[in-house]
Amino acid sequence: MKAIRRFTVRPVLPEPLRPLSDLARNLRWSWHAETRELFQSLDPEGWQKAGGDPVRLLGAVPAARLGDLAQDRRFLRRLTAAADDLDDYLRGSRWYQTQDAAGAELPAAIAYFSPEFGITAALPQYSGGLGILAGDHLKAASDLGAPLIGVGLLYRHGYFRQSLSRDGWQQEHYPVLDPNELPVSLLREEDGTPSRVSLALPGGRSLRAHIWQARVGRVPLLLLDSDVEDNDPGERDVTDRLYGGGSEHRLLQEMLLGIGGVRAVRTYCRLTGHAAPEVFHTNEGHAGFLGLERIRELSGEGLDFDSALEAVRAGTVFTTHTPVPAGIDRFDRELVAHHFGDDGELPGVDVERILQLGMETYPGGEPNLFNMAVMGLRLAQRANGVSTLHGAVSREMFAGLWPGFDPAEVPITSVTNGVHAPTWVAPEVFRLGARQIGAGRAEDALSVGGSQRWDAVADIADGEIWDVRRVLREQLVYEVRDRLRASWRQRGAGSAELGWIDGVLDPDVLTIGFARRVPSYKRLTLMLRDKDRLMDLLLHPTRPVQIVVAGKAHPADDGGKRLVRELVRFADDPRVRHRIVFLPDYGMAMAQKLYPGCDVWLNNPLRPLEACGTSGMKAALNGCLNLSVMDGWWDEWFGPDYGWAIPTADAVGTDEDRRDDLEAHALYELIEQRVAPRFYDRGDSDLPERWIEMVRQTLASLGPKLLAGRMVREYVERLYAPAARAHRALDPDTARELAGWKARLRGAWPRVAVDHVEALAATAVNGTAELGSTLALRVRVALDGLQPEDVEVQAVAGRVDSADHITDGQTFPLKPAGGPDLEGRWLYEGPLALDRTGPFGYTVRILPAHPLLATSADLGLVAVPSEETGEAAGVLMR
């Protein structure tokens, strides 16, 4: 019989056990082993049934058991210690406070917006790497004491749960999530009523949302939920599921995230006294509308649109995560226009000004599409990709927004992602380090970093490392068998058919892991290009390999689902099913067993389409070696001590099938000739000594680079702190001055020109010059009423290629030497040092200059010589 109404009955904890509620409601337990062990001791069997979720566990522990624990002095001592430890964690001074006290001028608070957050499997509000990265960002910020406020949406169905049909086709399920059963609580007004935000929709309708709060250590995470009774049915469903629905549904989600998110932050700060954010960080373009809401706020304080835009840009950071245009949300311009203006959100703000922020007004752009990443870049003074290679790819990808600049000068930097080690490092690996340097120092090394602490791995005996690696592999074997058995039962198999599962995988066999989302560019099935070759590797008589695969295809991606089915059908073959498995429903709970239990982590995307690829980082922190295409973070930090690089066949003209054949062949060769022999080659001690040394080097040398703590420190030092300083500098009067100056620059720029360039010194003879000599440049420029302080005139010089393009340019500032003349032209002069040999060339350019610009490319304006301007020819060095 089905219930007609559902509600949650919360347990009443005896007074001595009240601290359990605070421990359960702060998600620090998800990365704090002692707290998890405390909850597990309440009811070990119930802990397993609750999926390791303390909130669910407390709702299921019998009252009699709670009564017994309330009298158990040993348990109460452990509870007091855990509660005191959490209190110390929340209140103590940490890295951020020490930097601020040292005069680093750090922001009072940072608002961090993301469409998904992967904090724990108990709060399933994530689909993949973007959400896990966002969750790790919050956790690391908490560990460092950085005053972040996370902002996202609460999806009543989360992302989908994955199962398989009998023939291996992906099935999606959307279980309903009751927020009252999640580790979140409603934000309430002082009178106890739920706090709400509201957005205006066309036709006089409203979109209302409650604000749920999760506590991620020291960091509050605000999640907006449109399932509010006052909403019409369509509006109630806006936050139904992650990455679901059509264009209007997605647009409303992103308006709620961005505009509603800013309003939620303001509400939270008003109610709690939390410092107002000085910096707003947009994690991908989904939250880009937050900039428009902040412009509206400032417009209400008397600033015009352009002045408010400058103030908003100064304090905004935008992170792009996709290296492919297809990965960016784009909406029809008319759909966006319909939802703004006097009949929608932001009345009084010119809809055309809103549209201009997101339109692809550059060569190759779609004139009728509103691009969320383009808006994110135009609304942020600082932007970054998520690895060094991805930063370069992003500069190429968005170069059209800065015409006249080489891609290398496009103002998009990079901060390479990191992962939150306390979340992803297995307890066995942590204890291995703790025995060497102490539990407190080991915890600090995982959270904050410090290579000296990681160097202690060198002193751990080979046998200890190898024993831990085998224990983790064995745990994975049992985890795989349990999950595989459950999967086959979902596929319709009876118990009598599943005896073979007890022989799946072997704790002494080289284990390769591959788990991620399943878009085509990640190439789930590259390993199947030559199935016979793969079978030979799996069934090798002395050096066998076993592979664990997991991943979800997007519900609308039938191509991805076909890849899943192809892999599943191969893994179902009785000849190899004990050596290769596909595990459905990949998520955080599975990942926390999978990463530590694998010996090798495989990643074979199409280069350079993997922005970062943090799964390999999580594996590496557990002593797993990487086998990967040189893409994302691996391109940046690969070393032969840490694993193997799969060669790429990316020569111009190589067709896709040929490329995949070549790279699959290279993969098989590496496994057969290098990886497997290294694993099975035993020394005098019957240990794979060379393999263990690679594990040791991975942990000691690579490990500190991979930490989310390192990543967040870089964000603070390179992006958040400069953004806070820029925000403080732009008071209303300064914002108006800067906006007026930019308007004046843009108005004059069509007539700004380099009139003539000449080299005064006769050091170049017959097109050659001596290394170490100097060219004295004299340049006449037309500024159309602008003053020298409005511009910077530069010589750009360096080696040139066969087409005379400067390939490694250096800039040399030129100084005003006179003017303006009767025609309004200014004279600039300066030396150009000839400091390298080979084909050499130079040019001259004019750029806007203002002390409040983050970079000279900020406005996307540059003036360069025409072909008739003067002597700007190349010089051959000898």
Side-chain angles (χ1 to χ4, degrees):
M1 186 178 298
K2 187 174 182 180
I4 63 170
R5 191 175 183 90
R6 176 192 178 105
F7 55 92
T8 300
V9 180
R10 295 193 181 278
V12 178
L13 294 173
E15 185 64 33
L17 301 184
R18 290 293 174 86
L20 284 172
S21 180
D22 290 334
L23 289 170
R25 291 282 167 182
N26 193 307
L27 295 174
R28 188 204 181 207
W29 61 257
S30 68
W31 71 90
H32 192 250
E34 288 86 348
T35 305
R36 292 197 304 276
E37 290 165 2
L38 176 74
F39 280 109
Q40 186 176 14
S41 70
L42 267 68
D43 182 354
E45 185 177 343
W47 177 254
Q48 294 298 321
K49 290 180 179 177
D53 177 356
V55 173
R56 289 177 59 194
L57 174 70
L58 290 179
V61 176
R65 172 61 175 161
L66 294 176
D68 291 341
L69 289 169
Q71 305 298 320
D72 185 335
R73 286 188 294 178
R74 185 168 179 269
F75 180 82
L76 293 178
R77 284 196 298 270
R78 293 178 64 197
L79 175 58
T80 299
D84 289 346
D85 183 75
L86 176 61
D87 187 66
D88 290 344
Y89 176 85
L90 296 177
R91 298 177 186 274
S93 177
R94 305 189 75 82
W95 173 84
Y96 194 89
Q97 286 68 45
T98 63
Q99 300 302 301
D100 207 26
E105 299 183 82
L106 303 182
I110 305 109
Y112 180 89
F113 286 65
S114 179
E116 51 175 305
F117 285 90
I119 308 293
T120 168
L123 187 61
Q125 300 293 307
Y126 62 92
S127 71
L130 178 69
I132 302 299
L133 181 279
D136 282 7
H137 195 107
L138 296 195
K139 294 173 187 177
S142 174
D143 290 341
L144 294 171
L148 257 67
I149 302 173
V151 185
L153 301 179
L154 183 74
Y155 304 97
R156 288 298 181 111
H157 297 280
Y159 200 48
F160 70 91
R161 302 295 302 272
Q162 179 196 44
S163 62
L164 301 172
S165 69
R166 186 72 190 216
D167 71 346
W169 189 256
Q170 174 178 292
Q171 309 286 304
E172 296 95 30
H173 312 276
Y174 293 90
V176 176
L177 301 174
D178 182 352
N180 293 296
E181 297 176 2
L182 300 174
V184 296
S185 58
L186 267 178
L187 186 65
R188 295 183 179 275
E189 297 294 323
E190 293 177 356
D191 61 3
T193 59
S195 298
R196 300 201 307 191
V197 299
S198 180
L199 272 66
L201 299 182
R205 297 174 295 127
S206 294
L207 170 60
R208 304 170 183 88
H210 284 148
I211 306 166
W212 296 88
Q213 178 187 352
R215 286 178 285 176
V216 186
R218 300 164 68 114
V219 173
L221 171 58
L222 309 179
L223 300 171
L224 278 67
D225 172 20
S226 70
D227 191 9
V228 176
E229 288 187 0
D230 292 352
N231 280 335
D232 292 337
E235 281 73 62
R236 290 189 72 163
D237 287 343
V238 165
T239 56
D240 58 349
R241 60 186 60 171
L242 178 59
Y243 303 140
S247 290
E248 183 169 19
H249 187 84
R250 289 287 291 275
L251 177 64
L252 289 175
Q253 283 190 340
E254 299 187 5
M255 289 177 63
L256 180 60
L257 174 60
I259 297 170
V262 173
R263 295 172 186 174
V265 168
R266 304 303 187 204
T267 300
Y268 175 80
C269 292
R270 170 176 59 82
L271 292 172
T272 65
H274 195 289
E278 296 183 279
V279 175
F280 286 76
H281 184 174
T282 308
N283 192 38
E284 255 307 339
H286 308 283
F289 289 121
L290 71 85
L292 296 180
E293 170 63 8
R294 293 171 59 218
I295 289 173
R296 184 200 65 79
E297 290 178 331
L298 292 171
S299 298
E301 298 174 11
L303 287 183
D304 62 275
F305 185 93
D306 289 326
S307 302
L309 173 61
E310 294 306 325
V312 165
R313 290 186 73 249
T316 303
V317 174
F318 174 73
T319 298
T320 175
H321 286 264
T322 177
V324 289
I328 297 170
D329 277 344
R330 301 193 294 174
F331 300 104
D332 184 89
R333 74 183 306 276
E334 296 304 322
L335 178 65
V336 176
H338 179 61
H339 284 82
F340 286 93
D342 293 337
D343 192 36
E345 259 304 325
L346 310 188
V349 178
D350 185 353
V351 174
E352 284 302 316
R353 296 303 307 272
I354 293 173
L355 293 175
Q356 287 171 9
L357 291 170
M359 302 309 292
E360 298 179 358
T361 53
Y362 47 79
E366 294 285 345
N368 292 313
L369 289 181
F370 186 92
N371 185 309
M372 295 297 290
V374 166
M375 177 175 67
L377 289 165
R378 286 177 173 152
L379 284 170
Q381 195 175 63
R382 289 164 180 82
N384 69 285
V386 292
S387 69
T388 298
L389 178 60
H390 179 236
V393 170
S394 298
R395 289 188 287 275
E396 291 273 1
M397 182 172 164
F398 294 109
L401 294 174
W402 289 271
F405 289 88
D406 290 339
E409 295 181 296
V410 167
I412 301 175
T413 185
S414 63
V415 175
T416 302
N417 284 343
V419 297
H420 186 245
T423 296
W424 300 108
V425 170
E428 293 81 2
V429 177
F430 175 81
R431 286 194 289 267
L432 188 66
R435 287 200 300 271
Q436 193 68 33
I437 63 173
R441 296 183 70 210
E443 184 175 355
D444 188 46
L446 292 181
S447 298
V448 181
S451 60
Q452 291 180 341
R453 295 185 178 95
W454 289 75
D455 288 346
V457 174
D459 299 325
I460 300 174
D462 285 3
E464 290 186 71
I465 292 176
W466 190 243
D467 287 346
V468 167
R469 292 297 315 148
R470 191 190 186 283
V471 166
L472 295 172
R473 199 181 310 115
E474 186 174 48
Q475 289 179 2
L476 176 61
V477 168
Y478 291 126
E479 178 83 4
V480 165
R481 290 174 184 173
D482 288 344
R483 289 181 176 273
L484 195 60
R485 188 172 285 107
S487 174
W488 271 99
R489 284 175 177 156
Q490 285 183 314
R491 295 172 71 181
S495 298
E497 302 175 66
L498 301 180
W500 60 273
I501 289 179
D502 290 333
V504 167
L505 303 190
D506 183 327
D508 292 309
V509 167
L510 171 62
T511 304
I512 299 175
F514 181 101
R516 49 192 38 86
R517 292 183 302 110
V518 190
S520 59
Y521 77 86
K522 292 182 183 280
R523 297 193 293 185
L524 170 74
T525 57
L526 184 70
M527 65 181 76
L528 302 183
R529 293 296 290 188
D530 185 339
K531 294 183 175 67
D532 291 337
R533 184 84 180 272
L534 179 58
M535 279 193 176
D536 289 343
L537 291 171
L538 297 172
L539 302 176
H540 194 283
T542 58
R543 297 196 301 269
V545 171
Q546 57 195 16
I547 304 176
V548 182
V549 184
K552 291 180 176 179
H554 188 278
D557 181 9
D558 283 348
K561 292 180 184 181
R562 282 191 287 272
L563 296 178
V564 169
R565 183 172 60 183
E566 183 183 357
L567 196 289
V568 170
R569 286 180 170 176
F570 180 82
D572 285 350
D573 188 325
R575 292 174 294 175
V576 295
R577 64 187 181 185
H578 64 299
R579 286 283 184 258
I580 182 169
V581 296
F582 180 89
L583 299 180
D585 210 28
Y586 178 48
M588 290 187 73
M590 181 193 298
Q592 285 172 319
K593 291 291 187 183
L594 184 54
Y595 298 137
C598 290
D599 300 294
V600 173
W601 195 257
L602 174 61
N603 189 28
N604 46 231
L606 286 173
R607 188 182 190 272
L609 302 185
E610 184 79 273
C612 185
T614 54
S615 61
M617 294 180 166
K618 296 161 194 157
L621 286 175
N622 287 282
C624 179
L625 307 182
N626 273 266
L627 172 60
S628 176
V629 165
M630 295 287 279
D631 203 0
W633 75 272
W634 191 238
D635 180 76
E636 190 170 339
W637 288 327
F638 161 76
D641 290 337
Y642 314 141
W644 299 269
I646 303 171
T648 51
D650 49 7
V652 176
T654 304
D655 66 75
E656 291 184 9
D657 281 343
R658 174 67 174 161
R659 177 203 59 214
D660 285 355
D661 284 341
L662 290 171
E663 294 186 14
H665 175 77
L667 172 62
Y668 300 139
E669 286 289 307
L670 277 171
I671 295 173
E672 183 178 47
Q673 301 298 328
R674 299 177 63 186
V675 180
R678 180 69 57 96
F679 181 87
Y680 287 106
D681 180 20
R682 305 299 157 99
D684 295 338
S685 59
D686 198 31
L687 296 173
E689 294 165 356
R690 292 195 302 161
W691 186 279
I692 293 170
E693 184 56 29
M694 291 180 72
V695 171
R696 182 179 282 110
Q697 288 298 321
T698 294
L699 292 172
S701 302
L702 183 59
K705 299 177 183 179
L706 306 180
L707 300 182
R710 183 270 313 154
M711 172 188 73
V712 172
R713 289 199 309 271
E714 286 193 33
Y715 272 108
V716 169
E717 294 164 354
R718 296 174 48 204
L719 295 171
Y720 295 163
R725 290 193 290 270
H727 163 80
R728 293 166 188 166
L730 278 185
D731 58 46
D733 289 340
T734 307
R736 291 187 188 97
E737 186 276 327
L738 180 60
W741 177 83
K742 284 189 175 183
R744 184 164 58 86
L745 259 286
R746 291 188 178 105
W749 206 259
R751 293 169 298 282
V752 170
V754 178
D755 274 356
H756 184 69
V757 180
E758 59 181 320
L760 297 181
T763 53
V765 180
N766 298 322
T768 66
E770 297 289 341
L771 178 67
S773 59
T774 299
L775 291 180
L777 297 182
R778 172 175 287 179
V779 180
R780 287 198 303 272
V781 300
L783 298 184
D784 192 50
L786 299 178
Q787 297 302 305
E789 58 265 28
D790 294 323
V791 300
E792 181 176 356
V793 180
Q794 298 175 340
V796 182
R799 292 189 179 90
V800 293
D801 60 19
S802 59
D804 284 344
H805 292 131
I806 298 172
T807 57
D808 59 347
Q810 290 181 289
T811 59
F812 299 85
L814 305 178
K815 302 297 183 183
D821 61 16
L822 294 177
E823 297 179 358
R825 296 177 302 182
W826 292 79
L827 178 66
Y828 279 75
E829 293 180 348
L832 174 61
L834 306 182
D835 59 355
R836 66 200 72 184
T837 59
F840 192 90
Y842 68 88
T843 188
V844 175
R845 65 183 180 181
I846 309 171
L847 300 169
H850 192 284
L852 293 177
L853 294 182
T855 73
S856 56
D858 200 343
L859 277 74
L861 300 176
V862 60
V864 296
S866 65
E867 292 183 2
E868 296 81 22
T869 294
E871 300 292 334
V875 176
L876 179 65
M877 302 298 299
R878 63 169 187 247

